[in-house]
Amino acid sequence: MGKEFTPWYFNPEIAKVYESFYEGKYKEADIQEKKLLKFLIDQIDDVREVLEVGCGTGHFTRWLHSLGYKVVGADISPVMLSVARELWKEGNFVNASAESLPFEDKSFDVVLYVTCLEYMKDLSQVFREAERVARKGIVIGLMNKWSLPTIRRIIQVKLGKNPYYYNARFYSLPEIKRELSNALKGKNFEFLDWRCAVFPKIFGIKGLVKIPFGGSFLGIGVKFK
C-alpha cells in the first residue's frame, strides 16, 4: 500500500465495469438501497434539486433523475465521471472534491452521499460544505459498520486482501450521528428517521428495518429547520 497505493476509483479498468456491480447478485440489494434513500428524501418537504456527492459512474444520479428530481453529480475521480457521462450524455456532472464544492450557497435542496463517505478523510469539512450548499437537508447511505458484510471487509483488509477498502473507514449509527452533530454544531437541524436495509434475509428479516445491527446498508440524514 503506502505511497504506491492508488484508490480503486481512479482505476479506468475498474470504472469501466463498475456498473455491472448493480446487475449481478447485488441487484436486489440495489432495490432495497434505493427504497431506503427515497424513504429518507421523502422526510424532507418539497425536494426538487439534489446534489449527489461521490456519484461515481452516476448510477444513483440517473435513478434520481428518473424520479423527477433535478440532479447534479459530483465526484473527485475523472475516470468514474467519464463513464457517468457515457452512460448519461445529458447528465450534469462535475469533477470536484467533497471538501470544496464549486457551488454557491444554498444551491440545492438536498445533498446526497451513497457509500462514499467511507473514503473521505475530513467528514467535518464535508458536512460543513453540504450544509453550505443545501437549503433543506443531507441524506446519507453507508456501508453499516455493524453488519456482517462490513466486518468481513474489515477482516479482508487486515489480511491484505480486498483493495477496494484499504483506504475506507466504516461508521456505525452512533458514529455517523456524532460526526454530523459535531460538524453542524450551532446549526438548527433534526435527524431523519433512520433505517437499515437488510438483504439477504437475516433471521427471517428482509427489507427496511429500524435495527442498527445486521443491515448492510445504513440510511440516515438531517433536515434543517
Side-chain angles (χ1 to χ4, degrees):
M1 201 164 67
K3 293 182 180 179
E4 297 182 0
F5 174 70
T6 300
W8 60 267
Y9 38 87
F10 288 108
N11 185 324
E13 296 306 312
I14 292 177
K16 289 178 184 177
V17 299
Y18 186 77
E19 285 285 327
S20 64
F21 172 87
Y22 299 105
E23 295 301 325
K25 61 180 180 179
Y26 296 104
K27 190 169 185 176
E28 178 62 27
D30 180 51
I31 293 172
Q32 296 295 332
E33 290 172 9
K34 288 173 177 173
K35 187 183 298 184
L36 176 48
L37 293 171
K38 187 66 169 60
F39 167 77
L40 294 166
I41 293 172
D42 284 347
Q43 294 178 51
I44 303 173
D45 295 334
D46 197 27
V47 175
R48 299 182 183 183
E49 297 177 310
V50 179
L51 170 65
E52 186 194 357
V53 178
C55 68
T57 56
H59 180 79
F60 291 97
T61 323
R62 299 192 306 275
W63 166 70
L64 289 165
H65 173 73
S66 74
L67 296 180
Y69 297 108
K70 182 179 178 181
V71 59
V72 175
D75 201 278
I76 197 172
S77 170
V79 297
M80 296 292 275
L81 288 178
S82 68
V83 175
R85 291 176 177 124
E86 287 178 12
L87 294 173
W88 187 23
K89 291 180 171 55
E90 300 80 17
N92 188 352
F93 295 103
V94 178
N95 187 200
S97 163
E99 291 85 359
S100 182
L101 297 170
F103 305 106
E104 295 182 359
D105 295 358
K106 309 308 176 189
S107 296
F108 303 90
D109 292 322
V110 165
V111 174
L112 170 71
Y113 305 91
V114 186
T115 60
C116 61
L117 291 174
E118 293 84 351
Y119 300 97
M120 298 176 187
K121 293 181 180 180
D122 188 352
L123 285 201
S124 289
Q125 178 58 26
V126 168
F127 290 145
R128 283 194 292 268
E129 271 294 89
E131 190 276 332
R132 181 183 67 80
V133 303
R135 292 185 286 266
K136 299 183 178 183
I138 301 169
V139 170
I140 297 169
L142 292 168
M143 291 176 268
N144 185 11
K145 184 178 180 179
W146 288 346
S147 68
L148 290 177
T150 303
I151 292 171
R152 183 174 65 247
R153 291 165 184 144
I154 293 171
I155 293 171
Q156 288 171 338
V157 169
K158 290 184 181 298
L159 294 175
K161 301 178 181 179
N162 205 335
Y164 287 95
Y165 305 106
Y166 280 174
N167 64 327
R169 178 184 175 186
F170 301 103
Y171 297 91
S172 64
L173 177 63
E175 288 171 337
I176 197 63
K177 290 183 76 172
R178 184 164 59 247
E179 292 283 352
L180 281 163
S181 295
N182 290 340
L184 302 177
K185 189 175 182 179
K187 307 294 182 181
N188 196 5
F189 70 91
E190 63 182 39
F191 283 103
L192 302 178
D193 189 11
W194 64 274
R195 291 289 189 279
C196 284
V198 177
F199 181 84
K201 287 183 179 180
I202 298 178
F203 304 118
I205 299 172
K206 173 186 170 183
L208 306 188
V209 298
K210 202 166 185 179
I211 304 172
F213 304 95
S216 59
F217 188 76
L218 167 65
I220 192 172
V222 296
K223 177 168 60 174
F224 303 141
K225 296 182 180 179

